Structure formats: C-alpha cells, structure tokens
Amino acid sequence: MNFSNYRLQLLLRVVLLCVTIYFFARINFDPLYRGTTIALGLAILVQVWLLVLYQDRTNKQFMRFLNSIKYDDFSELFKVSKEGKQQEELATKLNEVMHKFRELRAEKEAHLQYFELIVQHIGIGIISYKPDGTIMLLNHAAKKLLKVGQLQQVQELENESPDLAQGLQLLEHNDKILVPLKHGAEQVNLAVHVMELSILGERIRLASLQNIQKELEEKEMEAWHNLIKVLTHEIMNSVTPIASLSASAYEELSSYTDTVAEEVTMLRDELEDVGQCLHTISRRSDGLIKFVSDFRNLTAVSVPKISRFSVNEMLMEMKTLMREQLAQKHVRIKVDVPQDRLLLSADRSMVEQVLINLIKNAIEAVHEQHEPRIILRAYLDERSRISIEVEDNGSGMTQEAQTKIFIPFYSTKKTGSGIGLSLSRQIMRLHKGSIAVQSELGKGTKFILRF
C-alpha cells in the first residue's frame, strides 16, 4: 500500500510503534512469551530506526541544499516525492531556489565576461595589481604599449622601463606621473594614473596607461606655429618698409650720381659709398624677408591630396632624381625594396618632399666618410604598416640632438635653418603617420617614416 500523505504516514508509524510498545509492556517479560517478547522488542527497535530514517529525509534535503550553497554548486536537483503536499512543496521550493541561484551565477558570469571584454578592448592600458606588485589584470592595450606578454609581477617591467616599474610601486591613490618610454626608434610618453580600491577588505591598485605622445607633439607644434606667426608678422611688418625704402633710395641716388653737375663731382665717391650701403641694406632685407617666408611655410602646409602609388617606383625615381647631387659628393645610394609592390595611399609630392629633405641631410652627414653610402629601404613592419627608411653611415648624432632634431629652428648643421625636419614631421602627421630617428655616434643615422 502506497501512502502519499506525509503526515498520515508519520501518524501511522507512531500509532504502530505505540501499539507495539503496549503489547510489549503487557507481556511484562513473562517467561512463557520469551520469543514474543524478543520479537516485539526487535520490532520496536526497527520501527524507531525506520521512523528516524523517515524523518531524516527532510534533514538530508536541507543538508544537500546548504552544501550546494557552501561549495557554489547549483547543479543539485531535489526529487519531488509523492509523500504528501508538504514534501512536494518543500522539494519544489528548494528546486526553485537552486534555479534562482543558477540564474544569478550565470548573470554574474555574463557581467564579468562583459566587463572583461570591455577592459581588454579599451584603447587605454589597464594594469590591476596588489600593493606587493602581483599583477591581477593586464589588458591588451597595456601589453601593446609596453610591448610585453603576460606578466606576473610589476617588477618585471623594469626591463622595459625602470621609471614605470618604480612609479607603479610608489604612487599613492590618485597620483599621476609622465613616463617616457622608448622602443627602438619610437619615443612615447605615457600618462600614468593610479587609483587604489578596497575589494572585500583587500587593497587593489588600478593603473591606467595612456600614450599622449601625439597630443604632446600637436600641442608643441601648435605653440611653435603661434610663435612663428607672431614673429614673422612682426618681422615682416618692420623689414618690408625698410627693404622698400632702401631700394628706392638706392635707385634715386644712382640716377642722381649719373646726372650730377661738375660742382658735386668731388662728392661722387661718398655718394657711391652711401648707395652701396643702401644696396646692402636692401639686399639683406630681401634675404631676411625670404628667410621669414620660409618659416611661414611651416605653418602653411596644405591639405594632402591622397592618391595611390607604388612605393617601389617612387624610391627608384628618388634615386634617379638625386643622382647628380650624389655623384658630385661621390655618395653611393642603394634602394632596398621587397619584390611585391607596396602601394601607399598618400600625397606623393609631399612624401617626395620629405624624402628629398632626408636624402639631402644624409648627403651632408656622410661627406667626411671614406666610403659614403645611403640606403633607401621600404617594408611592412610588425603591424603591417608601410615603413620607409633613409639610412646613412655618417658620424651620427648625440642623444640630446635626437630629442631636439624635430624642434623648429634647431639644426645640427652650421648653415641649417632648422625647419626641414619640422616640416617633414608635420607632413607625416597630416598623413596620420610618424617620423622617428635612430642614431649612434660613429655608426650613422636612420630616419623611419611610418604610414
């Protein structure tokens, strides 16, 4: 007989146990009923044991439920028995709670995965680490900026940048520093901002790394442009009238000395000297105006007219174009390009202007070498960007010169104006590219254009 009511089963078990105890007590250990006494005693023990087991089913369900929560295992299912409405409701409610826990955990994992994807794909480098230097998170942007793989400790960054490794360990909450970082020919400046959080009583530091090199260069160039505009405006306003007035005075004085009467013949030499002075003033004023106009070109670069052309062909044409100047200086030039054509979308005339400037600088840099040579090289870098190099075997540059070489008015040449490389960098910036320099004293210099 299958009883489906939990309370009825419990009541029947208790009643049966009471009846058995009653008969056990009535026999009163009579020797004539020794067998019956033993049987009734065993029956009482068995019924008590079964009653305990029957009652323990609910306790075991609760223990399974609590263990599932303790060990974060929500795959447990509770069987809905047919022992009564109360037991069915208990099993159903426990299953509903387990299902809710599963939903919450799935939602939590989905949110965690979502935020991890955001952190990994964000353009700003993120490093999460403990105060002892143990790295908990290093996103793709940080790896790309630092050019490292997976790291375990902040101290491992000392190989790339000792300043950064030290700064991450010493910075306190909301501190900021600017860290210079150099990878080969590329110079970048990282803005590092550190915040400290407390998660479940554990201190965690969160550092953001942002490459602000382009912003710094743009602000620097903007400041130079503003300065050049003011200087050229004031100089032109002052020099132009002087040049015009001196030229006019020289012409009038020249005509006067040609037609002057005999009574002023003795003053002819003096007048000619004055005329020569005026002519010198006029000529130097014109030279100064031209000099200022050259600097104005730095602030008046036109918008690139983009077209698609072969880098291989352009470099070969550069070699032909500069052939006469190279031959005069006895400089040997080599063009190193891949077999497959590299197609570049840019303003060809502007790119050629940059290359001509770099080749001329290289010619001047190698003029004292026994076997002067220049190499033009084109290739795809590790990020599949078209790169062009102009390399020479000249005397090289100091580290200080490399940091200042792109600043307007700065030149390592005695007769240099200091605008060629500044103009080249501006042209590359208009193409969303960069220009960098690698140099070592006594071994030569290499300029790298990346598009």
Side-chain angles (χ1 to χ4, degrees):
M1 182 176 182
N2 182 21
F3 296 99
S4 60
N5 191 297
Y6 172 78
R7 292 178 181 177
L8 179 60
Q9 286 194 46
L10 183 62
L11 180 61
L12 291 175
R13 289 173 184 271
V14 172
V15 170
L16 182 61
L17 179 61
C18 292
V19 171
T20 307
I21 293 174
Y22 171 77
F23 283 109
F24 182 78
R26 286 294 301 270
I27 295 175
N28 198 19
F29 300 100
D30 191 332
L32 296 176
Y33 301 101
R34 181 175 298 176
T36 305
T37 302
I38 296 173
L40 290 174
L42 292 175
I44 292 172
L45 292 176
V46 170
Q47 289 183 63
V48 170
W49 175 247
L50 291 176
L51 182 61
V52 171
L53 290 179
Y54 183 74
Q55 188 62 31
D56 277 349
R57 293 182 190 176
T58 303
N59 295 336
K60 288 181 179 180
Q61 281 186 323
F62 279 112
M63 289 300 297
R64 286 166 55 196
F65 174 75
L66 295 176
N67 284 330
S68 297
I69 296 177
K70 178 180 179 181
Y71 296 109
D72 199 23
D73 178 15
F74 305 120
S75 60
E76 187 75 42
L77 288 176
F78 297 94
K79 184 178 180 181
V80 179
S81 62
K82 298 181 180 180
E83 297 179 354
K85 183 177 180 181
Q86 185 178 15
Q87 291 298 97
E88 291 180 6
E89 288 181 355
L90 176 62
T92 301
K93 293 298 182 182
L94 290 178
N95 286 331
E96 289 178 358
V97 173
M98 295 298 288
H99 179 68
K100 189 64 176 179
F101 273 123
R102 285 195 295 271
E103 288 183 346
L104 291 174
R105 184 171 66 177
E107 183 178 356
K108 176 182 175 182
E109 291 176 351
H111 285 164
L112 180 60
Q113 185 178 11
Y114 173 71
F115 287 117
E116 284 182 351
L117 287 174
I118 292 178
V119 170
Q120 291 298 336
H121 286 81
I122 197 170
I124 299 176
I126 300 293
I127 303 178
S128 175
Y129 60 100
K130 297 180 180 179
D132 63 358
T134 302
I135 295 178
M136 303 173 63
L137 174 67
L138 185 69
N139 73 343
H140 295 316
K143 294 177 183 178
K144 184 177 178 181
L145 281 174
L146 302 175
K147 297 189 182 301
V148 296
Q150 191 63 41
L151 300 179
Q152 302 298 327
Q153 294 288 329
V154 170
Q155 292 80 353
E156 297 178 39
L157 291 172
E158 292 183 356
N159 297 329
E160 300 297 328
S161 174
D163 293 338
L164 178 60
Q166 184 178 10
L168 290 177
Q169 296 178 74
L170 298 180
L171 289 177
E172 298 296 335
H173 175 66
N174 218 26
D175 285 347
K176 300 178 181 179
I177 59 171
L178 187 64
V179 178
L181 189 65
K182 189 167 185 178
H183 293 295
E186 292 188 12
Q187 173 74 35
V188 299
N189 284 280
L190 299 182
V192 182
H193 183 197
V194 173
M195 297 181 63
E196 190 166 291
L197 311 172
S198 180
I199 301 178
L200 299 177
E202 185 179 11
R203 292 169 56 204
I204 301 295
R205 289 182 179 179
L206 187 67
S208 63
L209 312 176
Q210 189 171 6
N211 182 6
I212 60 171
Q213 183 64 28
K214 288 187 177 180
E215 288 78 0
L216 290 177
E217 290 180 355
E218 289 175 359
K219 290 297 181 182
E220 178 187 4
M221 188 58 67
E222 181 182 352
W224 280 113
H225 283 184
N226 293 334
L227 177 60
I228 291 170
K229 287 178 180 178
V230 173
L231 290 177
T232 55
H233 178 73
E234 295 300 327
I235 293 174
M236 292 292 284
N237 286 346
S238 300
V239 174
T240 301
I242 295 175
S244 177
L245 183 61
S246 60
S248 300
Y250 173 70
E251 291 177 1
E252 291 181 6
L253 188 60
S254 296
S255 63
Y256 178 74
T257 55
D258 292 336
T259 61
V260 73
E262 292 183 0
E263 57 269 20
V264 295
T265 302
M266 299 300 294
L267 299 176
R268 184 182 299 274
D269 292 339
E270 288 79 1
L271 293 174
E272 288 180 351
D273 289 340
V274 173
Q276 188 63 36
C277 292
L278 291 173
H279 179 65
T280 301
I281 293 173
S282 176
R283 182 170 53 84
R284 291 305 303 155
S285 297
D286 290 339
L288 184 58
I289 291 173
K290 183 178 183 302
F291 176 77
V292 173
S293 297
D294 290 339
F295 280 113
R296 276 185 169 176
N297 293 335
L298 189 61
T299 61
V301 180
S302 59
V303 178
K305 297 179 180 179
I306 305 299
S307 62
R308 194 172 180 84
F309 58 90
S310 170
V311 176
N312 307 49
E313 295 176 2
M314 181 185 65
L315 294 185
M316 295 304 297
E317 290 181 9
M318 284 292 101
K319 180 180 178 180
T320 304
L321 179 66
M322 304 299 295
R323 180 171 54 190
E324 187 65 26
Q325 297 184 43
L326 293 165
Q328 291 177 1
K329 300 292 185 178
H330 305 288
V331 179
R332 184 165 54 90
I333 189 169
K334 177 185 177 183
V335 177
D336 182 9
V337 292
Q339 293 182 352
D340 297 333
R341 288 202 315 166
L342 297 178
L343 297 178
L344 176 63
S345 295
D347 188 316
R348 179 163 179 166
S349 61
M350 283 188 172
V351 177
E352 289 177 348
Q353 181 180 351
V354 173
L355 290 175
I356 290 172
N357 181 51
L358 294 178
I359 294 172
K360 286 183 176 180
N361 289 345
I363 292 174
E364 296 184 17
V366 300
H367 75 281
E368 295 181 354
Q369 300 300 315
H370 177 63
E371 294 182 356
R373 70 175 183 273
I374 299 173
I375 300 176
L376 300 181
R377 184 181 294 111
Y379 58 91
L380 292 176
D381 67 4
E382 67 279 359
R383 294 170 56 186
S384 298
R385 297 178 299 181
I386 293 180
S387 301
I388 302 175
E389 293 182 358
V390 179
E391 182 180 357
D392 65 65
N393 65 336
S395 56
M397 290 186 289
T398 63
Q399 190 65 36
E400 180 184 3
Q402 293 180 55
T403 59
K404 298 180 179 179
I405 197 69
F406 297 107
I407 296 177
F409 314 124
Y410 180 85
S411 177
T412 58
K413 298 178 291 186
K414 294 181 181 180
T415 59
S417 63
I419 65 170
L421 289 176
S422 300
L423 186 61
S424 298
R425 187 172 70 168
Q426 187 172 352
I427 290 174
M428 291 303 298
R429 184 178 292 114
L430 290 173
H431 285 83
K432 308 300 181 183
S434 65
I435 179 172
V437 61
Q438 278 183 326
S439 186
E440 188 175 348
L441 286 175
K443 293 187 177 181
T445 302
K446 179 194 298 181
F447 283 92
I448 307 170
L449 310 177
R450 289 190 173 90
F451 295 89

